[in-house]
């Protein structure tokens, strides 16, 4: 029996809060977090994991509470660190990172670094779990995971999912081997 992993990119955040770790959900984000309870109503989830960032935790909190489950925080599932300061031209920066996975700002991370720590964390969990797990994540972090298993997933695909909150990706594994990836553009609508 393999492992099914549901990645849930956080719901819509409050972009007025520029602190990555404490950025909360917007009003719409809070409403969409509640919708996950219905989306997963017929799916058994054995364990819940999350990035330590508030918006990720808050996205799956209603579902975890409905299941009376605790959320284990995994630091390596946090979002990519861009720099110590807020950058205004995110588009150019993002495009350059996708063109060169080793590109980063002075105090930030490259996509290669983000991908490496996310895959290491995922493979660690796959070694512990043989059931269905849910991981709350972030757009760039999750995109690098999908890219790892589907190298054709690139900047254009990232642009397509950039405004999807929450974005759900279901990946089936046999051990560490990826068997299939299903992506949902909206809650319950396959991509």
């Amino acid at each position: 029996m393999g492992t099914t992993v549901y990645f849930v990119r956080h719901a819509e955040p409050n972009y007025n809060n520029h602190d990555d770790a404490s950025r909360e959900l917007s009003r719409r984000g809070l409403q969409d977090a509640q919708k996950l309870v219905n989306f997963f109503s017929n799916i058994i989830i054995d364990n819940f994991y999350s990035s330590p960032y508030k918006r990720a935790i808050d996205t799956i909190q209603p579902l975890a509470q409905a299941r009376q489950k605790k959320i284990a925080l995994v630091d390596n599932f946090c979002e990519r660190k861009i720099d110590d300061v807020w950058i205004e031209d995110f588009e150019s920066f993002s495009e350059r990172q996708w063109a060169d996975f080793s590109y980063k700002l002075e105090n930030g991370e490259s996509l290669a670094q983000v991908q490496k720590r996310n895959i290491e964390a995922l493979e660690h969990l796959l070694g512990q779990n043989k059931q269905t797990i849910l991981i709350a994540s972030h757009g760039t972090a999750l995109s690098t995971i999908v890219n790892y298993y589907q190298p054709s997933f690139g900047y254009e695909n990232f642009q397509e999912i950039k405004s999807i909150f929450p974005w759900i990706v279901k990946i089936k594994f046999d051990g560490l081997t990826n068997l299939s990836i299903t992506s949902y553009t909206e809650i319950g609508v396959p991509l």
Side-chain angles (χ1 to χ4, degrees):
M1 180 178 153
T3 306
T4 300
V5 181
Y6 285 93
F7 286 96
V8 178
R9 183 224 187 152
H10 61 79
E12 183 183 79
N14 171 18
Y15 286 113
N16 293 324
N17 180 351
H18 290 185
D19 180 63
D20 218 20
S22 69
R23 186 174 306 131
E24 68 279 7
L25 296 178
S26 68
R27 180 177 295 148
R28 178 179 173 188
L30 291 167
Q31 293 168 349
D32 285 344
Q34 293 293 331
K35 292 178 183 176
L36 290 174
V37 176
N38 288 336
F39 178 81
F40 286 101
S41 64
N42 295 319
I43 300 169
I44 294 170
I45 301 169
D46 299 289
N47 294 306
F48 287 76
Y49 301 93
S50 179
S51 152
Y53 290 3
K54 181 170 176 46
R55 62 192 181 276
I57 298 165
D58 289 353
T59 297
I60 65 167
Q61 190 71 48
L63 178 60
Q65 285 177 337
R67 303 292 178 92
Q68 299 179 336
K69 297 277 190 176
K70 291 187 187 277
I71 300 171
L73 303 184
V74 180
D75 288 345
N76 279 339
F77 286 132
C78 73
E79 181 61 298
R80 159 203 53 195
K81 181 176 181 191
I82 295 174
D83 202 350
D84 289 336
V85 296
W86 183 264
I87 62 166
E88 293 301 327
D89 189 4
F90 179 77
E91 295 302 320
S92 297
F93 166 74
S94 181
E95 188 171 8
R96 186 161 177 193
Q97 277 209 309
W98 279 96
D100 177 3
F101 257 47
S102 66
Y103 174 73
K104 64 180 185 169
L105 297 178
E106 183 177 352
N107 295 310
E109 289 181 289
S110 69
L111 293 186
Q113 290 172 310
V114 175
Q115 185 180 65
K116 181 178 186 296
R117 68 173 164 76
N118 273 272
I119 294 299
E120 285 174 355
L122 173 60
E123 289 183 346
H124 177 75
L125 293 182
L126 291 173
Q128 296 179 326
N129 293 277
K130 299 292 181 249
Q131 59 259 15
T132 301
I133 64 175
L134 186 142
I135 301 170
S137 185
H138 303 271
T140 300
L142 179 49
S143 292
T144 66
I145 294 170
V146 174
N147 169 269
Y148 181 82
Y149 296 108
Q150 289 182 341
S152 62
F153 186 99
Y155 178 71
E156 294 76 20
N157 305 100
F158 175 71
Q159 287 295 101
E160 290 172 10
I161 64 90
K162 198 171 65 173
S163 61
I164 300 173
F165 299 103
W167 176 41
I168 301 169
V169 177
K170 175 184 173 183
I171 307 181
K172 290 189 173 189
F173 291 94
D174 180 7
L176 299 180
T177 303
N178 164 40
L179 301 176
S180 67
I181 298 178
T182 306
S183 176
Y184 299 87
T185 58
E186 294 174 34
I187 300 174
V189 181
L191 186 61

